[in-house]
Amino acid sequence: MNKIVFLLLTVFSTFLYSQEKMTKYQINEDISYMIPESFTLMSQGDRIQKFVSSREPLAMHSSMDREVNFGVNWNPMQWIAGDEEMIYGFYKASIQSMFDKVEFIQDEIKEINGKKFIVFEFIGSLQSENAFSSKSSRSYTYIQYTSYNDQVLLFNIGCKARLMSQWQPIANEVMNSVKVKIK
């Protein structure tokens, strides 16, 4: 009986999340995307508490329960159109070095709304062991990179892996809505 109730709750919550109404968010005249209406912009305090970064992100959004985060950031690394293959290898190796295990769902260079993006969608696992405990964690991440003003622009959505079935369809919708004007 408990299994049936759990299954029904999972199906119902997946249906609710897949019905999430989307709204357009514009960073500037060149960069926009669709984001769930229920997401809110993170305050500077929330950003500092959740993420360590030397650069202020262009935007950081969070779900109402603060379980899912979507951010747009930039990196001053030089990237000229046509460098995708070289940069792809660099970012893939970087992702693989941050986790003990990475299961890629998407791992490619693709065109989104007329612009080339390096796309990684994956589940990353970390195992932490010390004298007092042993913990493991799994996270779902969908990240894509593109060139913008000869630098790197990145879009990232993530949550705990246990929430992936609820949020993966929305993550795909958000990431496929990204528009970056070609200059």
Side-chain angles (χ1 to χ4, degrees):
M1 180 69 169
N2 285 343
K3 289 181 181 179
I4 293 171
V5 170
F6 177 75
L7 181 62
L8 287 173
L9 285 174
T10 302
V11 170
F12 182 68
S13 65
T14 301
F15 175 76
L16 283 178
Y17 283 109
S18 67
Q19 300 301 312
E20 186 82 39
K21 197 169 189 181
M22 304 295 273
T23 186
K24 184 176 181 178
Y25 188 83
Q26 191 94 26
I27 289 183
N28 61 28
E29 63 186 35
D30 297 336
I31 305 166
S32 68
Y33 49 87
M34 301 298 285
I35 191 84
E37 249 181 23
S38 63
F39 276 42
T40 59
L41 273 174
M42 283 187 193
S43 68
Q44 184 176 16
D46 284 344
R47 288 191 309 269
I48 290 169
Q49 186 177 32
K50 277 192 145 182
F51 304 100
V52 177
S53 177
S54 59
R55 288 175 297 286
E56 183 71 17
L58 300 174
M60 290 296 298
H61 305 267
S62 187
S63 61
M64 289 177 63
D65 60 7
R66 303 212 185 286
E67 293 275 355
V68 183
N69 299 300
F70 173 75
V72 181
N73 212 332
W74 61 278
N75 185 326
M77 183 173 99
Q78 290 291 305
W79 178 351
I80 299 168
D83 286 351
E84 290 85 8
E85 289 294 328
M86 178 185 68
I87 293 172
Y88 163 86
F90 171 79
Y91 279 117
K92 184 171 183 176
S94 177
I95 288 168
Q96 289 172 316
S97 72
M98 292 188 314
F99 296 94
D100 295 322
K101 182 179 177 186
V102 179
E103 301 165 50
F104 286 101
I105 299 161
Q106 286 190 77
D107 168 15
E108 63 187 322
I109 298 171
K110 70 179 187 180
E111 192 170 300
I112 301 169
N113 296 315
K115 184 101 166 103
K116 276 192 177 180
F117 283 83
I118 298 170
V119 177
F120 297 107
E121 182 182 15
F122 61 92
I123 296 173
S125 302
L126 281 175
Q127 182 70 33
S128 115
E129 295 182 24
N130 61 41
F132 304 105
S133 70
S134 176
K135 292 181 180 179
S136 64
S137 65
R138 295 178 72 227
S139 59
Y140 166 71
T141 303
Y142 190 141
I143 188 166
Q144 56 192 34
Y145 307 86
T146 193
S147 63
Y148 178 70
N149 290 339
D150 296 331
Q151 296 181 338
V152 178
L153 186 61
L154 60 106
F155 300 82
N156 182 10
I157 191 166
C159 61
K160 292 182 173 132
R162 66 179 168 74
L163 300 172
M164 181 179 142
S165 65
Q166 296 169 346
W167 288 99
Q168 186 179 26
I170 294 170
N172 276 285
E173 189 174 347
V174 169
M175 293 306 222
N176 285 307
S177 75
V178 171
K179 292 183 182 171
V180 178
K181 286 187 184 170
I182 300 171
K183 290 186 169 195

